[in-house]
Amino acid sequence: VFYCEDFICMRKVINSNNAPKAIGPYSQAIEDGGFVFTSGVLPIDPVTGEIYNGSVRVQTELILKNLENILKEAGCTLKNVVKTNVFLTDLTQFAEMNEVYASFFKENPPARSTIQVVALPKGSAVEIEAIAKK
């Protein structure tokens, strides 16, 4: 429990051994106030620690599997996700990402923003972050 200025924060760090370790000074996710906030998830193999730089389709699938493992560690599933932000380096690959994304969020998908960015860490073509409600 962390004490904030005017209230008690029930902040809990979430780290899953079944998802890639953070590549910087951040946590895989933070649970607070009944929500789980994930950091941006990259297409990194959790066993080897190597990034997959192939197709956006495979990158998106690996990211969403990693996201599932982070959420599982927090006691959630993808069904708990209420909002995602998807970052793509090339919006012409939106349909490819979207097809895989839809296969993971089949019913009542979360709200989502998709944004084109100039670059992502480790040369990834896609990154996804999520907010889940416990």
Side-chain angles (χ1 to χ4, degrees):
V1 176
F2 294 87
Y3 290 92
C4 300
E5 289 184 26
D6 296 326
F7 59 93
I8 297 176
C9 297
M10 300 303 290
R11 186 172 180 248
K12 179 181 175 187
V13 173
I14 307 296
N15 283 307
S16 170
N17 291 327
N18 296 317
K21 296 188 182 340
I23 59 172
Y26 60 88
S27 301
Q28 290 174 338
I30 297 291
E31 180 181 340
D32 195 359
F35 287 92
V36 176
F37 303 87
T38 75
S39 293
V41 180
L42 295 170
I44 296 175
D45 183 303
V47 175
T48 66
E50 297 295 318
I51 190 152
Y52 177 81
N53 282 319
S55 74
V56 166
R57 179 178 312 284
V58 176
Q59 285 191 31
T60 303
E61 185 173 344
L62 182 54
I63 287 168
L64 291 169
K65 287 178 181 177
N66 286 335
L67 184 59
E68 280 182 313
N69 287 327
I70 293 167
L71 292 171
K72 183 178 181 182
E73 188 71 27
C76 295
T77 70
L78 289 176
K79 290 182 179 182
N80 295 95
V81 174
V82 295
K83 173 74 166 99
T84 62
N85 290 317
V86 178
F87 304 95
L88 284 169
T89 57
D90 182 355
L91 278 178
T92 65
Q93 297 177 321
F94 177 86
E96 192 176 345
M97 175 282 300
N98 200 47
E99 184 180 329
V100 176
Y101 183 96
S103 73
F104 280 80
F105 294 104
K106 293 177 182 165
E107 293 181 16
N108 303 314
R112 178 181 80 186
S113 298
T114 303
I115 304 151
Q116 180 170 316
V117 296
V118 172
L120 290 167
K122 299 209 171 260
S124 178
V126 62
E127 178 176 359
I128 301 173
E129 63 183 24
I131 299 171
K133 175 76 169 114
K134 288 194 85 172

